[in-house]
Amino acid sequence: MATLTNAPALRRKARRERLRTLGFLSPWLVGFTVFFGYPLIATVYFSFMHYNQIEAPTFVGLRNWRYVLEQMPLFGPALWNTLWLVVVMVALRVVFGLGIGLLVTKIKSGVGFFRTAFYLPYLAPPVAATVAFVFLLNPGTGPVNDILGTIGIHAPNWFNDPAWAKPSLVLLSLWGIGDLMVIFMAALLDVPKEQYEAAELDGAGAFHKFRYVTWPSITPIVMFAVVTGVVQTMQYYTQALVAGKLASGVSVGPGTVIQPGYPDHSTLTVPQLVYSLGFQNFNTGAACVLSLVLFAIAMAVTTLLMRKRAGLLSAED
Amino acid sequence: MPRKLAALASVLSAGALLLTGCANPSTGSAEDDPTKPVTLKFWHGWSEKSEVKAIDAGIARFEKLHPNIKVKATGNVTDATVNQALRAGGSDAPDVVSSFTTNNVGQYCSSGMWVDLNPFMRKTGLDKAKVFPKTLLDYTSYEGDQCALPLLADAYGMYYNKDAFAEAGIKRPPRTMSELRRDAVKLTKRTKSGGYQRVGFMPNFRLYQNSPDRLFAQWGPSYFNKDGKARLAKEKAAKEFYATTRELIRSQGGYGPLETFRTSFGDEMSSQNAFLTGKLAMHMDGEWRGLFMKGAKFKWDTAPLPVPDDRPETYGRGYLTGTVVGIAHSSTHQNAAWELVKFLTANTDQVVAFANAIHNVPSTKAALTSPKLDSDPTFRAFLDIAQNRYSTALPPSINGGQYVTSLQDFSYGVEAGKVHDLDAGLRKLDDEIDADNLQAQN
């Protein structure tokens, strides 16, 4: 009987607790709803509409999807370039970042100088760094090809050659590797010293120490670098746009529309195509379709990597 | 359960309303009295000091004639900014807008972003057919909707280095494509290391104003059939045009070396312009280039661009485009805005004064024949091109300049020798243009 008597009070208490929990969660919930939930729902909604951002939207069924997936010739190159950059750029950035991290943790003297030297380029704003790179690698007037020429190397056209444009962007990203270097350096310095001592007592050389001591300890950090690298590269936009625009030499005036992807769409990425469709052609429906495709790929790759990560980590991690 | 369903339905309805609400930018009206005090916001693209001074002088003349209307002008505004501002709406959006390209007029008209000016012309008794040349009226309208008017025009012709011509023993500028190729070869000078000191005529499509549609205009092509479908694969001139440009490239050393030379050029609108620095002997450009040639260290002149060998009667023709001006759909002062548009585009004295000041081609019949117009012969050559009956402009499209972009992309592949089957490539290009246009339709 006592339980029955107290039932309304218990319900009130439970409701209060739920409200309190929701209260504490509300900043995140509001942020999630406003900056993720609503845009996602709006993107799905507009992917089925014809909408030029002037007239009211009209329902067109799957027309936007068919247009993007079957008729739009730039979809294939943009997706290929994005995935190429995801695979090559992320892999090289992780390898290079880890290599530099290892190097600076092993250096005995001048550590501060080397750490600063490798970190500084990361502080350069992306646009400024890209402008400098395009200038340095300009096949007609840049100093890099002149220097290579004097030592007998026939240098490529870098950003002006479709075969070299993406590798040039990768070079640019490797130059600004400072962020990953710092993360890897912290992870490497965190590996327990006694494990190295034990491995040395067992007769392990440098490679075996890295393989059996360093690598298992830093695996979570490597996975973090890969996952965040994939997500960032899926959104790759600024450097590719600026490099293409500058290298093309096309004058930009009030009547000029910048077509991203120079040369021959070799630096066109999906985010650039989304912008071009949505805010240059005002083809909102198709831009939304592209965004959703990119979102789906990013989700799939990230989920795959996270599952892989779960398999690699021990229970303690 | 019904309560939960009702709640879900409410949330979904609210979401749909929210989405639809966000999708409706503000709309303006033409209910205003143009004799009442008002301040108009006018966005334009001019940014050079002399150009801004000239447009400001025009606005001052307008304000003197209309003391009740104040104009707040903002310069150096791109089409992208105009597009986004008019779609976003709001009180800061402009009333009168201009664009340096005619490519987007079809999109401005068909989307209703720029209002139809026909009712304003009827209301104030402006007979557009009597005031403006037909080609210019064509590129400022789309399917009968005159959503823009020409505010000065641009004609494309050839600038040539007279000293280089004399040195090569060439007496006059080329008139046919064969003569162009022959002279270009004679004028090209190589360095000992195999590079270029000077190129006769750089045909590469990424050079400054060398968009493929401009040289293609010398053939007078039809881009669309009467049903609005792309017909470049059926256009015999398309194959001739690409064959000519490929031959121009081949005879002057090939695409790769020319592209490498092109990347060494300075900015188009700077003193490092490749024609101004003597790196090009002949150069396709608009009439405004003359203003930038003041510091040239060589003698130069202008002429129409050459025409195909089998159409010598069309010599004198050229590609026409220009600045266009219109009224924003979101403006709530459309009658006052029309007074400004009418003054800038149809007042002969204003058009002539502005054309002289910024070295552009006037855009009204009366101004084109005005004795007050600049008498510089290098400028007059462009007035002749603008009035030549064979001169053409690009047809407007519902999808704006997207078909020109597609043509450019295709042309980059052709000039680089990557399109091995031109017929199949042109058919694919037509399909792409048609698909894009269909996608743009509501």
Side-chain angles (χ1 to χ4, degrees), chain B residues 153-201:
Chain B
D154 294 320
Y156 282 74
M158 176 189 280
Y159 287 79
Y160 63 99
N161 184 326
K162 284 174 84 173
D163 291 348
F165 268 55
E167 183 191 313
I170 304 168
K171 301 273 185 257
R172 60 166 175 81
R175 289 177 188 161
T176 64
M177 291 296 167
S178 297
E179 289 179 4
L180 174 66
R181 190 179 66 244
R182 185 196 64 202
D183 293 350
V185 173
K186 276 189 198 171
L187 290 159
T188 299
K189 284 171 81 173
R190 309 292 292 250
T191 60
K192 282 178 189 164
S193 59
Y196 290 98
Q197 191 179 327
R198 182 179 67 208
V199 163
F201 178 81

Side-chain angles (χ1 to χ4, degrees), chain B residues 39-55:
Chain B
T39 299
L40 294 175
K41 289 183 279 294
F42 172 36
W43 286 11
H44 62 78
W46 289 284
S47 57
E48 291 291 323
K49 206 174 167 187
S50 58
E51 294 172 339
V52 174
K53 196 176 156 195
I55 191 79

Side-chain angles (χ1 to χ4, degrees), chain A residues 52 58 63-64 67 248 264, chain B residues 262 418 436 439 441-442:
Chain A
N52 61 12
T58 50
R63 194 175 88 181
N64 295 324
Y67 172 70
S248 73
D264 297 347
Chain B
R262 185 187 68 81
K418 290 177 180 168
D436 286 344
Q439 176 65 16
Q441 283 168 16
N442 204 342

Side-chain angles (χ1 to χ4, degrees), chain A residues 161-182:
Chain A
D161 182 342
W164 277 93
K166 281 193 289 290
S168 304
L169 289 173
V170 173
L171 276 181
L172 171 62
S173 81
L174 294 181
W175 180 68
I177 200 72
D179 56 336
L180 274 188
M181 180 201 73
V182 168

Side-chain angles (χ1 to χ4, degrees), chain A residues 82-83 85-87 89-91 93-94 223-236 294 297-303 305:
Chain A
T82 306
L83 295 178
L85 288 168
V86 164
V87 173
M89 194 183 279
V90 174
R93 270 178 63 83
V94 169
M223 289 313 290
F224 167 79
V226 171
V227 171
T228 53
V230 165
V231 173
Q232 278 170 8
T233 315
M234 284 273 187
Q235 298 166 11
Y236 198 66
L294 190 66
I297 294 172
M299 279 293 284
V301 174
T302 312
T303 309
L305 285 170

Side-chain angles (χ1 to χ4, degrees), chain B residues 270-287:
Chain B
S270 74
S271 58
Q272 292 306 304
N273 175 286
F275 180 67
L276 190 56
T277 52
K279 289 181 175 177
L280 300 171
M282 295 182 279
H283 181 48
M284 177 173 74
D285 218 326
E287 75 291 332

Side-chain angles (χ1 to χ4, degrees), chain B residues 219-436:
Chain B
W219 277 262
S222 297
Y223 285 83
F224 301 101
N225 65 20
K226 62 179 189 320
D227 299 322
K229 299 276 184 201
R231 59 172 304 279
L232 287 166
K234 290 178 184 153
E235 180 61 84
K236 190 169 147 263
K239 278 165 252 173
E240 289 175 15
F241 163 61
Y242 286 121
T244 302
T245 52
R246 290 283 300 151
E247 190 50 34
L248 276 165
I249 288 171
R250 193 199 60 74
S251 60
Q252 291 176 95
Y255 174 72
L258 285 173
E259 269 295 276
T260 304
F261 187 52
R262 185 187 68 81
T263 57
S264 72
F265 294 171
D267 282 347
E268 180 187 2
M269 298 298 178
S270 74
S271 58
Q272 292 306 304
N273 175 286
F275 180 67
L276 190 56
T277 52
K279 289 181 175 177
L280 300 171
M282 295 182 279
H283 181 48
M284 177 173 74
D285 218 326
E287 75 291 332
W288 67 85
R289 174 61 46 202
L291 268 191
F292 293 81
M293 292 301 296
K294 295 274 190 274
K297 293 184 178 126
F298 55 86
K299 288 190 195 121
W300 59 275
D301 207 345
T302 58
L305 283 161
V307 293
D309 291 18
D310 59 347
R311 286 171 235 185
E313 75 282 4
T314 60
Y315 181 68
R317 80 186 324 174
Y319 172 87
L320 300 182
T321 180
T323 302
V324 296
V325 63
I327 299 173
H329 76 108
S330 53
S331 170
T332 51
H333 314 291
Q334 292 178 4
N335 288 316
W338 166 245
E339 290 301 321
L340 177 61
V341 169
K342 190 173 66 167
F343 174 78
L344 291 174
T345 59
N347 181 301
T348 306
D349 285 343
Q350 161 60 19
V351 174
V352 171
F354 193 34
N356 284 340
I358 69 166
H359 220 263
N360 269 201
V361 175
S363 43
T364 65
K365 290 176 182 173
L368 272 164
T369 52
S370 168
K372 292 179 191 167
L373 209 54
D374 192 341
S375 58
D376 175 0
T378 61
F379 178 56
R380 287 270 166 189
F382 290 93
L383 296 184
D384 294 339
I385 293 169
Q387 293 176 93
N388 187 289
R389 67 193 176 107
Y390 293 107
S391 291
T392 53
L394 282 172
S397 151
I398 189 170
N399 204 19
Q402 183 57 42
Y403 77 94
V404 186
T405 303
S406 301
L407 176 76
Q408 285 170 342
D409 282 345
F410 178 72
S411 304
Y412 297 148
V414 175
E415 70 176 358
K418 290 177 180 168
V419 178
H420 302 295
D421 185 343
L422 193 58
D423 286 311
L426 285 167
R427 280 197 297 275
K428 204 173 155 200
L429 175 64
D430 281 346
D431 289 345
E432 184 187 325
I433 292 170
D434 288 340
D436 286 344

